[in-house]
Amino acid sequence: VPGSANKREAAVRAAFASQAEWAERLGSPFTALLCATLASRLDRETQIGRRVLDWPGRPEAVADALALRLCGGLHGLVRRGDSLGLAAFYPPHPAPDEARLWAAIERTLRQCGEALRPWLDSAPQTNEVGRSALLMAGLMAVAQRFALPLDLLELGASAGLNLLLDRYFYDLGGVAAGDPASPLGLAPEWKGPPPPAGEVAVASRSGVDLRPMDPRRDRERLLAYVWPDQPARLARIEAALAIAAADPPAVERGDAAAWLDTRLAEPSAAGHVRVVLHSVAFQYFPAATQAHIRAAMEAAGAAAGSAAPLAWLRFEKLEQDEKYSLRLRVWPDGSDRLLAWSHPHGSAIRWVADAQG
Ligand SMILES: C[S@@+](CC[C@H](N)C(=O)[O-])C[C@H]1O[C@@H](n2cnc3c(N)ncnc32)[C@H](O)[C@@H]1O
């Protein structure tokens, strides 16, 4: 039906235009230009062009994230030197005008369709190491409260790079944390009081993801989804991937709820705090998984005693909020606290909890 085909194409163009706006807001003018160019100029002359414009699913960012699939694919080709000259228009080169950029993209779409196809087949996957700064500050609050070693259980862990957070070094509002000898240092812009100076000792770490990424095998894929004009983010994830490659964290494949059930059914180690944590993941879980996790945490919390406390650390955007927040609930008392507001990548943090909690 021509009418519905037109509607589909309009939805695809709108998704690229909206992604352009988001990229601009999140500090990637190049991705903004790329998405805006594709929004207005993508045509049916190539197989990839037809496949994208006829996208049968939901192209928008919160669903299939179609624009980021294609941007990731193009960046992947550029990174491996297979883009037929498109690389000359990518950072660090100066931004091209739209017409020249489109001419180069068009050539790549025409001649590299085979290589681009798998990028359209699967959703973008990221692992944002900047969030380790927030999670570390949250663990410092847990450590200050209980002064016990921590068993970390991460839901939606991707490649597990944030599970290795104690192997990075931090300056958190003037408070040093982590491993001072680490090749990876994180110093987010910090506002408000410093985080509690609890001594974080990670006793064990494990995670789950529907589609775990392997820090060695999936390295290039993870790097391709980082926006090309954000060299600091690229450098950060490259450093974390090198650390993870030497000793990859255990991330099992599965649904977060089922995995959490199994973990919580295991006896908790006396004298340890079990910390369930997740960042920018809960919103992607199906409603049934979310409800199951909430109930499982309530039940495990009710059973937690002071010899083996339980903590739930979340960096997520709640529906009622405009910004991402870091929140911490601990048991046996069950108290829940807002710790911080932050940029979604953890690059600018406003700590709100007072140092004593
Ligand atoms: C936006 S990524 C965030 C990854 C990581 N937590 C970070 O902050 O960089 C969300 C992750 O949640 C995972 N995910 C989505 N639904 C899931 C589910 N039902 N169970 C487990 N993981 C899931 C995805 O595969 C993806 O790796």
Side-chain angles (χ1 to χ4, degrees):
V1 189
S4 72
N6 286 344
K7 248 193 218 160
R8 211 180 286 158
E9 180 175 325
V12 167
R13 293 193 190 280
F16 276 82
S18 160
Q19 187 64 65
E21 278 171 31
W22 273 107
E24 189 68 55
R25 241 184 275 173
L26 289 172
S28 179
F30 178 78
T31 305
L33 171 68
L34 186 61
C35 289
T37 303
L38 288 162
S40 61
R41 300 198 184 218
L42 190 65
D43 59 31
R44 298 177 175 280
E45 296 298 310
T46 61
Q47 241 180 36
I48 291 287
R50 288 190 291 278
R51 177 158 177 215
V52 169
L53 292 174
D54 291 335
W55 193 255
R58 291 177 52 206
E60 60 271 29
V62 292
D64 297 344
L66 181 58
L68 294 183
R69 291 184 193 213
L70 186 52
C71 291
L74 291 170
H75 190 205
L77 294 190
V78 163
R79 284 187 53 86
R80 63 173 211 235
D82 268 353
S83 65
L84 297 171
L86 182 57
F89 299 94
Y90 266 61
H93 304 289
D97 67 47
E98 211 186 280
R100 293 182 66 211
L101 178 61
W102 170 245
I105 294 172
E106 219 263 333
R107 192 166 53 236
T108 305
L109 296 184
R110 191 177 295 285
Q111 294 182 45
C112 306
E114 198 61 32
L116 282 168
R117 200 165 334 126
W119 292 87
L120 292 181
D121 289 339
S122 53
Q125 272 210 284
T126 54
N127 200 180
E128 181 49 61
V129 185
R131 294 176 191 141
S132 276
L134 275 158
L135 297 172
M136 186 58 159
L139 293 185
M140 287 156 76
V142 176
Q144 190 204 41
R145 172 73 198 277
F146 296 112
L148 294 172
L150 313 176
D151 291 316
L152 305 184
L153 302 171
E154 189 184 3
L155 311 179
S158 190
L161 300 182
N162 291 327
L163 270 175
L164 300 178
L165 78 185
D166 55 331
R167 299 196 189 151
Y168 315 145
F169 178 70
Y170 305 88
D171 174 347
L172 303 173
V175 175
D179 175 3
S182 178
L184 173 55
L186 296 172
E189 192 189 314
W190 193 277
K191 292 202 171 114
E199 197 64 43
V200 170
V202 176
S204 73
R205 62 193 95 222
S206 57
V208 64
D209 201 285
L210 219 43
R211 290 175 302 152
M213 300 293 274
D214 183 294
R216 286 179 284 220
R217 202 187 47 234
D218 300 316
R219 181 176 184 278
E220 273 305 316
R221 201 169 134 73
L222 281 163
L223 294 175
Y225 292 120
V226 179
W227 291 335
D229 53 351
Q230 299 193 324
R233 273 179 84 201
L234 267 167
R236 217 154 60 195
I237 188 171
E238 282 187 275
L241 283 166
I243 292 170
D247 180 17
V251 181
E252 283 179 40
R253 180 180 297 273
D255 178 68
W259 182 84
L260 184 62
D261 273 350
T262 311
R263 294 286 83 78
L264 291 177
E266 291 163 2
S268 51
H272 288 198
V273 191
R274 215 148 43 169
V275 185
V276 175
L277 69 163
H278 44 83
S279 63
V280 195
F282 205 77
Q283 68 190 99
Y284 298 100
F285 299 165
T289 296
Q290 294 184 352
H292 193 106
I293 292 169
R294 286 197 188 96
M297 291 305 293
E298 290 293 345
S306 49
L310 178 68
W312 189 9
L313 183 64
R314 302 95 76 196
F315 178 57
E316 301 286 345
K317 198 183 88 58
L318 305 188
E319 233 162 77
Q320 70 268 22
D321 294 336
E322 280 189 5
K323 288 189 172 165
Y324 281 78
S325 61
L326 182 72
R327 289 167 202 264
L328 174 65
R329 187 153 181 211
V330 294
W331 289 271
D333 63 304
S335 64
D336 200 8
R337 278 200 294 153
L338 168 69
L339 298 181
W341 298 104
S342 171
H343 180 282
H345 298 151
S347 51
I349 298 172
R350 176 181 287 282
W351 194 261
V352 296
D354 65 83
Q356 301 311 313

